[in-house]
Amino acid sequence: MTQNIAVAYSTLAFINESNSHIEGPLDIFVPLVKRLLSKMNEDGILQGESNVEIKDYLEKLYNISIPKPTIEKILGIIAKQVNDVNEGSFILYQDGAFQLKGYQFLEIEQQIANEKSDIIKLSKLFDAFCNANEIDKSDIDLFSFLDQNRINLSKYLSDRSTDFISQPSGQSIVARFIDYFKSIPEVYQAIKKIYIGSLLVSSVNYEIEEKYIDGYLLLDTNFVIALHDLNTPESCEVCKLSIKAALRAGYKIKILQDTIDEVKSLLEAKSRGFTSSVLSRDIFPEDIYNACKRRNLSAADLLRYADNLETFIGNNHIEVVYHTEKIKNKARFSKEYKKFKKIRNSPASALHDAMLSIYTQEKRGTSLVNDFFQVKCWIVNSAYNRSNRYERVVKKQGKNYSETIKADNLLNILWLSNPKLGDDFKLNRIAELGIASLVSIELTSHLPSSAVIRELEENIVKYSDERISEQDVLRLSSRLASNQIERIETLNETANQDKEKFIQKIKEISKKQEEIEKKQQAMIQSTIADYQSETEQFQIARQQIDDERSKIMDAKLKSEELLSKKDKELKQTTLELEKAKEKATSLETELKRAEINKKVKKWQQRSIYFLVVMVVIYGAYITSLFYCCNWNSEQVKLTIIGLEENPIYGILVIIFTLLFGYACKGVYDRHQSQSNINNYIKRLESQS
């Protein structure tokens, strides 16, 4: 892996950590691709017939390969953002063609420079570490080691058939380097950012969607041991989080009764040999004795764990598969059992592993699958095993799927399918656990077999009362753990042939380790001092740049504040004018309305006046009639009958009746008929 991709990974980790507005994994890549478009514009690449040209430029600039559909989605996000601010600077057409016009993006240039500086310092520190350990690093790549997780996940998630291969050899110095510097925050943070960036690239390469999985996870012996925190602390946390994430995803967690029995037997055996272990607890990081030393546990504690195992299993939501006789009978006559007998320590262990395999095959069935989440059953383990039993695969429809999966790989895949699992699943912690797993696997893979170590332990215990000190044993453990002793078997052969020569060799190894430790300590202290000095100088330079930038930003802020103030004043004046205008318009409307109301009232009053006149005329007629007849009603009646014979009188009565009816209708229309009133008001409004 080149430094370019390490810088890109670190920058992605920074963007993910520092940007609270990120809604999905694609948003993390937007700044990097924006910078890429800016670089293309600088290079005079102003248009292209396909976004494949952008994809190729991405690989050239960052050494990162992203699928074409993912690139299309990222470019779609950028096109919308860019054209909302500066229309036309980046145009993306529906057929994938694109056009750039003066597009610039400089926001992350300083951060890119910061990450590049950190990567260069990390490389120098690694070089010094290799020199201190007298190791030729020409074929060793720190950054490629940290990218192994992405490669491991591709074996499960890629849509192409991928062979399951073991980890590349010769990387133990990288694992030792990470293990040595994990306690130094500045160095470990730089390492962790590369790993996080690699995991983020996986998240867009596969774009896994959250889904409910109707499947089974069958726990292996070492998973239960790790869950008890009898492995490394990180393994314990990985197993707990894996169970939590798997249950949330829909998996059913299973364990064979035979696995429980094997765990009990292992704990009881370790309890019996508790005092005889001299080297194992210091050499094997995943050894139960190492965990006992770390946690200050005794042989009695191991027996207590064995006695309470069923309760522990139930408390962790693990279902026990009882009555495994049929599986055991199938396994006993299977080809798997024959293979495992050649590589396992005992027939019982081989039979147990064959049973796990048979159970998994039965759960998977014969259906063809091309998707990780369609696989019905996995054997979940939490340890590196030198027997390579985990490399056996089942081939289905051109896609290779191992029967087993390591807990950390399972956790990573479940996190990728749902990054918002909860506070327990923060990316920073997922990365720490993943790095710990890589380191543990690499260191363990180069250690001698447990049988060889046990024989060496017996020889050391045999001569420990003489000239082999505890310090000699510790230094020997360090040499063994760091894979610095070739052919450890020769030491055991020497012990059987010549006691004095064996003791002398142990002393020589101890002295050699002491010299290396002193040299290593001196060189590393000097390098760390240089590293910290460079960091301080860089921070001073960065602070100066930040100060200058702060001054520019302050001036810009003041200018913006002044413009904002003027803008506010202008807006306030405009608002006041608009309010005054609205008030004048409102007043004019009110006056107009008052005038119209006045005219309406007069219009209504005229109808009443007319009706009153008609009533008065009628009243005067009746009064005069009674007066002429001396107020005699009979006489009035006779007079009216006589008048009715006069045609002129009849005409006058008809005219009066019509006028009276007209007056009554006028009062109703002008006072009670709302439609008539509204029509009159509209006529008045149209005339004004």
Side-chain angles (χ1 to χ4, degrees):
M1 185 199 290
T2 65
Q3 286 189 0
N4 281 357
I5 192 170
V7 171
Y9 281 175
S10 296
T11 306
L12 287 171
F14 171 81
I15 294 169
N16 180 70
E17 181 68 24
S18 60
N19 196 333
S20 59
H21 302 296
I22 291 172
E23 295 181 0
L26 296 183
D27 293 333
I28 301 168
F29 287 78
V30 167
L32 275 186
V33 179
K34 281 184 175 180
R35 178 177 180 264
L36 175 147
L37 295 174
S38 181
K39 293 290 183 184
M40 291 180 73
N41 189 80
E42 289 176 13
D43 291 347
I45 306 173
L46 304 181
Q47 61 184 14
E49 296 181 357
S50 170
N51 52 37
V52 172
E53 296 175 40
I54 296 175
K55 180 180 182 297
D56 293 341
Y57 201 93
L58 179 77
E59 293 181 15
K60 175 185 173 184
L61 186 62
Y62 301 125
N63 292 106
I64 293 177
S65 178
I66 296 177
K68 186 173 178 287
T70 306
I71 284 287
E72 290 174 356
K73 292 177 183 178
I74 295 172
L75 292 175
I77 295 170
I78 293 172
K80 187 177 184 306
Q81 292 178 354
V82 169
N83 291 315
D84 284 347
V85 179
N86 187 9
E87 189 172 357
S89 61
F90 173 58
I91 301 173
L92 183 66
Y93 299 101
Q94 289 186 349
D95 62 355
F98 64 93
Q99 187 174 350
L100 292 165
K101 186 178 179 182
Y103 180 74
Q104 279 193 328
F105 183 78
L106 306 174
E107 291 181 19
I108 62 170
E109 286 301 326
Q110 184 58 52
Q111 190 58 41
I112 290 280
N114 296 348
E115 301 301 340
K116 188 173 184 178
S117 173
D118 288 344
I119 294 299
I120 291 172
K121 287 186 289 183
L122 187 64
S123 296
K124 288 181 179 178
L125 194 61
F126 180 61
D127 290 345
F129 187 83
C130 289
N131 292 334
N133 284 275
E134 301 177 355
I135 298 235
D136 179 14
K137 65 169 289 290
S138 56
D139 296 326
I140 301 170
D141 188 350
L142 168 64
F143 307 127
S144 292
F145 179 83
L146 292 169
D147 201 29
Q148 283 182 38
N149 177 69
R150 182 179 60 83
I151 298 168
N152 288 338
L153 294 182
S154 72
K155 299 170 185 176
Y156 298 100
L157 301 175
S158 174
D159 56 4
R160 296 184 299 273
S161 178
T162 308
D163 292 331
F164 280 72
I165 56 174
S166 58
Q167 301 284 11
S169 60
Q171 298 289 317
S172 63
I173 186 65
V174 181
R176 286 161 52 201
F177 170 77
I178 295 171
D179 192 51
Y180 188 91
F181 284 101
K182 67 182 179 184
S183 59
I184 301 176
E186 299 93 334
V187 180
Y188 190 59
Q189 183 63 21
I191 292 169
K192 191 162 57 175
K193 284 167 77 173
I194 297 171
Y195 184 93
I196 289 174
S198 174
L199 195 57
L200 291 171
V201 169
S202 295
S203 71
V204 297
N205 274 344
Y206 306 113
E207 289 192 82
I208 309 168
E209 296 180 355
E210 183 182 5
K211 58 189 75 177
Y212 184 85
I213 306 162
D214 183 19
Y216 300 88
L217 299 178
L218 185 63
L219 304 187
D220 202 352
T221 304
N222 50 53
F223 187 99
V224 181
I225 293 296
L227 195 61
H228 258 109
D229 196 10
L230 292 174
N231 197 295
T232 63
E234 294 82 9
S235 293
C236 179
E237 189 172 354
V238 165
C239 291
K240 287 180 178 179
L241 292 178
S242 296
I243 287 179
K244 194 173 182 180
L247 289 171
R248 197 172 297 182
Y251 279 111
K252 298 175 184 65
I253 316 296
K254 300 282 189 177
I255 186 171
L256 299 184
Q257 178 62 51
D258 304 71
T259 304
I260 295 176
D261 295 339
E262 186 172 87
V263 172
K264 284 185 175 182
S265 297
L266 177 61
L267 292 175
E268 290 166 357
K270 288 290 185 179
S271 176
R272 289 193 298 272
F274 199 85
T275 56
S276 62
S277 175
V278 179
L279 294 175
S280 295
R281 68 186 66 203
D282 295 315
I283 295 175
F284 297 114
E286 297 181 348
D287 191 80
I288 291 176
Y289 292 137
N290 191 301
C292 289
K293 181 180 179 181
R294 169 174 56 84
R295 297 177 56 199
N296 197 27
L297 299 177
S298 65
D301 292 320
L302 296 181
L303 290 177
R304 179 168 50 84
Y305 283 157
D307 292 339
N308 298 322
L309 188 55
E310 283 84 358
T311 302
F312 177 81
I313 292 293
N315 291 341
N316 282 278
H317 311 287
I318 302 168
E319 300 175 24
V320 180
V321 179
Y322 300 103
H323 309 300
T324 58
E325 293 81 7
K326 282 182 66 177
I327 301 172
K328 187 178 292 185
N329 288 333
K330 285 184 180 180
R332 189 173 283 114
F333 300 101
S334 67
K335 59 183 179 181
E336 285 82 5
Y337 180 48
K338 292 178 182 178
K339 289 181 180 179
F340 287 138
K341 277 202 297 186
K342 297 176 183 178
I343 55 178
R344 300 301 282 155
N345 295 329
S346 68
S349 296
L351 182 60
H352 169 261
D353 291 345
M355 289 176 67
L356 295 182
S357 184
I358 295 297
Y359 181 90
T360 303
Q361 291 173 34
E362 289 183 351
K363 286 295 182 183
R364 288 188 176 186
T366 57
S367 58
L368 303 177
V369 294
N370 273 322
D371 187 323
F372 172 88
F373 295 103
Q374 292 176 351
V375 179
K376 287 292 185 180
C377 187
W378 295 93
I379 302 170
V380 187
N381 67 78
S382 179
Y384 177 85
N385 190 292
R386 283 178 294 279
S387 68
N388 287 326
R389 63 175 263 206
Y390 300 121
E391 302 306 316
R392 213 179 70 76
V393 300
V394 176
K395 192 163 188 175
K396 297 196 174 188
Q397 203 177 10
K399 175 68 180 177
N400 288 337
Y401 284 114
S402 168
E403 288 183 348
T404 68
I405 185 169
K406 284 186 86 277
D408 57 318
N409 285 333
L410 175 66
L411 178 60
N412 281 336
I413 291 171
L414 293 176
W415 179 86
L416 287 173
S417 70
N418 183 13
K420 297 178 181 178
L421 276 169
D423 292 338
D424 292 337
F425 299 87
K426 294 293 185 184
L427 179 56
N428 197 57
R429 187 56 185 154
I430 296 290
E432 290 173 351
L433 297 173
I435 292 171
S437 176
L438 283 178
V439 170
S440 178
I441 289 172
E442 186 61 33
L443 292 178
T444 307
S445 67
H446 296 283
L447 293 176
S449 69
S450 54
V452 172
I453 295 298
R454 276 198 300 272
E455 185 180 353
L456 183 59
E457 280 180 332
E458 292 171 1
N459 289 325
I460 289 172
V461 169
K462 193 186 303 181
Y463 305 123
S464 60
D465 293 336
E466 301 183 25
R467 286 171 290 167
I468 300 178
S469 66
E470 185 177 344
Q471 194 65 41
D472 292 331
V473 174
L474 286 173
R475 288 174 184 152
L476 174 63
S477 299
S478 297
R479 296 287 285 171
L480 287 169
S482 59
N483 195 31
Q484 294 296 299
I485 300 177
E486 295 183 5
R487 285 195 48 78
I488 188 67
E489 294 86 353
T490 58
L491 269 177
N492 290 326
E493 292 171 3
T494 303
N496 295 329
Q497 297 169 4
D498 190 334
K499 179 183 74 172
E500 289 297 324
K501 194 173 181 181
F502 173 73
I503 295 172
Q504 183 182 349
K505 279 194 173 185
I506 295 295
K507 287 290 186 181
E508 288 173 358
I509 291 171
S510 176
K511 187 176 180 181
K512 175 78 172 176
Q513 180 62 21
E514 183 181 11
E515 291 172 356
I516 287 178
E517 286 176 356
K518 287 180 180 178
K519 181 181 177 182
Q520 180 176 295
Q521 191 68 22
M523 288 190 70
I524 289 174
Q525 283 180 349
S526 173
T527 305
I528 290 175
D530 293 341
Y531 183 93
Q532 291 173 337
S533 175
E534 287 181 15
T535 302
E536 289 171 2
Q537 292 173 9
F538 181 76
Q539 287 175 343
I540 291 170
R542 183 187 296 179
Q543 187 61 48
Q544 291 174 347
I545 293 171
D546 289 343
D547 290 343
E548 289 296 324
R549 185 183 297 166
S550 180
K551 290 178 183 177
I552 294 170
M553 291 300 294
D554 287 343
K556 183 181 177 183
L557 187 61
K558 287 179 181 178
S559 175
E560 288 176 349
E561 286 176 353
L562 182 60
L563 287 172
S564 178
K565 185 178 179 182
K566 293 292 183 185
D567 186 51
K568 284 181 181 178
E569 290 175 356
L570 180 61
K571 285 181 179 178
Q572 184 65 30
T573 304
T574 304
L575 185 63
E576 289 174 357
L577 286 171
E578 287 177 352
K579 284 183 178 179
K581 185 178 178 181
E582 287 176 3
K583 189 174 181 181
T585 303
S586 177
L587 183 60
E588 183 182 353
T589 303
E590 288 177 6
L591 290 172
K592 197 173 180 181
R593 175 58 60 189
E595 182 66 25
I596 289 173
N597 288 340
K598 187 177 178 181
K599 290 181 179 180
V600 169
K601 284 185 181 296
K602 286 183 179 180
W603 177 66
Q604 290 174 330
Q605 286 173 354
R606 283 199 298 271
S607 66
I608 292 176
Y609 292 157
F610 184 66
L611 180 62
V612 169
V613 169
M614 296 306 295
V615 171
V616 169
I617 291 172
Y618 182 74
Y621 165 72
I622 295 298
T623 303
S624 63
L625 192 61
F626 271 90
Y627 179 75
C628 292
C629 294
N630 296 317
W631 308 99
N632 187 325
S633 59
E634 288 294 329
Q635 186 63 37
V636 170
K637 186 177 179 181
L638 292 172
T639 302
I640 291 172
I641 292 171
L643 289 172
E644 285 177 351
E645 295 177 356
N646 188 339
I648 295 174
Y649 176 79
I651 292 170
L652 290 174
V653 169
I654 290 171
I655 291 171
F656 181 82
T657 302
L658 290 173
L659 290 173
F660 187 79
Y662 176 76
C664 290
K665 186 176 183 303
V667 170
Y668 175 81
D669 287 345
R670 297 188 184 189
H671 289 270
Q672 298 299 322
S673 178
Q674 196 61 45
S675 61
N676 195 46
I677 295 169
N678 290 339
N679 288 333
Y680 182 71
I681 291 172
K682 287 179 182 178
R683 285 202 304 272
L684 292 176
E685 287 176 346
S686 64
Q687 293 171 4
S688 60

